[in-house]
Amino acid sequence: MTLLFLRLGATAFGGPAVYIALMEEEAVRRRRWVSRERFLDLLGATNLIPGPNATELAIHLGRLRAGLPGLVAAGAAFIAPAALLSAAFGWLYLRYGSLPRAAGFLEGVKPAMVAVVVQALWSLGRSAVKDRMLAALAAAGLAASLLGAGEIAILAASGALAMAARRLAAGAAAAMVPLALPAAAVPAAAPFSLSTLFLVFLKTGSVLFGSGYVLLAFLRADLVERLGWLTESQLLDAVAVGQLTPGPVLSTATFVGYVLGGAPGAALATVGIFLPSFVFVAISGPLVPRLRASPAAGAFLDGVNVASLALMAAVTLDLARSALAGPIPLAVAAVSALLLFRWRLNPAWLVLGGGAAGLIAAWLGS
């Protein structure tokens, strides 16, 4: 079992949908560890708790297969390849990131990453925005984020409003004012500390709903705006590394941790971002049937999901402003978007193609 999830973590590219499909092929069809119905129950349960869905599905399957030891082994095996590769990229980034050729590669990758996030946003939005009430919550969440409201407040308020709206069968427009409450003032850059780094990622892993790309919103709020440890450009570089590596996108945390605090920072960031998933799966696993059947939990989840998409959209707008400066980045983003939407090309190829375009542009410019 451990070798299976280690192989999946080392070879799976393309995002959570791909990872989940591979797990269904291996655990349901080939090995018959669980029935298709039970597999769907577990997948539904991952949507009711914070954290990366595909990673939590691997942890659920490990728990069913071998109890608590299986829970730990399956999750760790699935995460390890991406975390180790992200740490290696962090080392290379610190060593070579300021060189002209490396800088050119990263400049080409950034617009491709904007296209990848936009495509993920579009794909997730089509399934998450189920009715006008949820569309209104998504719009309110986007406005609140642009006005400076806190991410956790937006997620909690949107979930609560969706649940209340379902119960009362009333419009949510009049109740959405609390979403736009201003956030606390942003302090100056804070001194770096490993303990703070760990707590930032632990908090993020504890409240992160929806796609792994929502991680962008939390990292930007905490590490770029509040603490001042990262720049917008470094944040895009981190997401690009998450696309270059197989396995969960949240391994971006390992790269960020290494860039900020070396090997100890990488280890603490990785443990912080993924630890809540292990805890939530251990607690929720026996409660899956009740969670799945709860109308209140389903309504709350709907609200949280659309708020997550709103956070993604707000961050994407800010990142696009810094990444799409000039004709070449615009061309890379446009071609990447075409390949994604028209032919659904694997994002890893877009990262490599964008990087190659950046290298060529840097070479021609020199």
Side-chain angles (χ1 to χ4, degrees):
M1 179 197 70
T2 303
L3 291 177
L4 168 64
F5 286 106
L6 188 64
R7 174 169 63 83
L8 290 177
T11 59
F13 285 91
V18 175
Y19 314 151
I20 290 167
L22 291 173
M23 289 182 202
E24 192 271 342
E25 171 70 22
E26 295 289 349
V28 177
R29 300 185 188 182
R30 294 189 57 190
R31 289 169 170 77
R32 301 184 185 277
W33 289 347
V34 294
S35 66
R36 193 178 308 278
E37 293 75 18
R38 187 66 180 276
F39 185 88
L40 291 173
D41 285 347
L42 296 176
L43 180 58
T46 65
N47 288 312
L48 292 173
I49 57 177
N53 292 356
T55 303
E56 289 172 345
L57 183 58
I59 297 171
H60 268 300
L61 291 170
R63 185 189 69 84
L64 285 180
R65 185 67 179 166
L68 185 59
L71 178 149
V72 174
F78 185 66
I79 294 165
L84 292 173
L85 284 172
S86 295
F89 275 116
W91 181 83
L92 291 170
Y93 185 80
L94 289 179
R95 187 174 179 86
Y96 300 109
S98 60
L99 296 179
R101 291 187 178 181
F105 180 84
L106 293 173
E107 288 303 311
V109 165
K110 291 171 186 176
M113 287 312 309
V114 171
V116 169
V117 177
V118 169
Q119 193 272 343
L121 189 60
W122 172 258
S123 176
L124 292 168
R126 294 174 65 186
S127 59
V129 183
K130 302 173 183 177
D131 53 40
R132 292 182 180 179
M133 183 269 292
L134 291 174
L137 283 176
L142 175 59
S145 181
L146 294 175
L147 289 171
E151 288 74 22
I152 296 176
I154 292 173
L155 292 171
S158 185
L161 288 171
M163 187 164 57
R166 291 280 173 84
R167 287 180 174 176
L168 299 174
M176 281 188 279
V177 176
L179 284 176
L181 289 174
V186 178
F192 176 76
S193 119
L194 287 173
S195 60
T196 302
L197 179 73
F198 174 74
L199 291 175
V200 164
F201 283 104
L202 184 67
K203 179 200 74 174
T204 301
S206 299
V207 298
L208 186 68
F209 277 91
S211 165
Y213 293 115
V214 181
L215 176 67
L216 281 170
F218 287 92
L219 293 186
R220 185 174 181 275
D222 281 326
L223 300 181
V224 177
E225 295 182 341
R226 181 170 67 86
L227 296 171
W229 292 350
L230 287 180
T231 64
E232 298 272 7
S233 178
Q234 288 173 321
L235 179 59
L236 270 176
D237 295 339
V239 179
V241 167
Q243 287 295 322
L244 276 171
T245 57
V249 175
L250 263 61
S251 62
T252 296
T254 308
F255 174 83
V256 171
Y258 194 98
V259 169
L260 293 176
L268 288 172
T270 305
V271 172
I273 197 75
F274 286 110
L275 180 60
S277 293
F278 288 87
V279 175
F280 289 138
V281 169
I283 294 172
S284 68
L287 304 176
V288 167
R290 295 181 185 178
L291 289 172
R292 188 171 182 270
S294 170
F300 183 85
L301 178 66
D302 287 340
V304 167
N305 282 343
V306 296
S308 298
L309 296 180
L311 293 176
M312 286 176 60
V315 173
T316 303
L317 290 174
D318 287 326
L319 295 180
R321 280 196 288 266
S322 63
L324 305 182
I328 293 179
L330 285 170
V332 171
V335 171
S336 299
L338 177 64
L339 294 173
L340 277 171
F341 282 90
R342 180 67 178 85
W343 289 287
R344 300 183 181 276
L345 189 68
N346 191 312
W349 293 112
L350 295 179
V351 170
L352 294 175
L359 287 173
I360 293 171
W363 178 72
L364 292 176
S366 63

